[in-house]
Amino acid sequence: MVSHRVLVPVKGGVADESAVRLACNMAQKSKGKVYVVYVIEVKRSLPLEAIIDPEVERGESVLDQAEQFASDADYEVETELLKAREVGPAIVDAAVEKEADLIVMGINYKRRFGEFSMGRNVPYVLKNAPCRVILSREPVPEAKDK
């Protein structure tokens, strides 16, 4: 699969590294562009333009870390900090804006009510993305009582 424009949403989790590296490897074959985005979810009680310093600092730190992952893979990425009411639609909008032909999402293995859960953003992106989506899920954590 040739990917010329790859979008990688990051959130500061363990899965970010594998997602960024996978995107860089896939884009490298076609000398494509990798866009890494961090979405700040702004509460409805605040205006979208609200300055949320702790979240902006966290987002910039996560994007810096993503740039380092890409640098370790010998690739250069473009990063962007986005503000939105909801993360899923912001990722889909970014894919449309960047004309991405692939979204690579890293997800952690999470359980909710005893069942594996992808949360609400991953299913939204899978359902609405205008391009291919690859999920890079982290391994199932080992039970601590073994």
Side-chain angles (χ1 to χ4, degrees), residues 98-118:
K98 304 286 188 197
E99 297 178 351
D101 48 25
L102 176 66
I103 298 172
V104 176
M105 296 183 76
I107 61 172
N108 295 319
Y109 187 90
K110 290 186 291 191
R111 286 184 174 270
R112 186 169 181 180
F113 305 117
E115 293 289 321
F116 170 69
S117 172
M118 291 189 288

Side-chain angles (χ1 to χ4, degrees), residues 76-92:
E76 192 172 313
V77 297
E78 187 176 304
T79 61
E80 187 174 2
L81 191 63
L82 305 173
K83 288 184 181 178
R85 297 289 181 205
E86 294 184 43
V87 175
I91 293 168
V92 171

Side-chain angles (χ1 to χ4, degrees), residues 129-143:
C131 58
R132 292 179 187 263
V133 179
I134 293 179
L135 296 180
S136 173
R137 193 204 78 201
E138 288 299 301
V140 177
E142 293 184 28

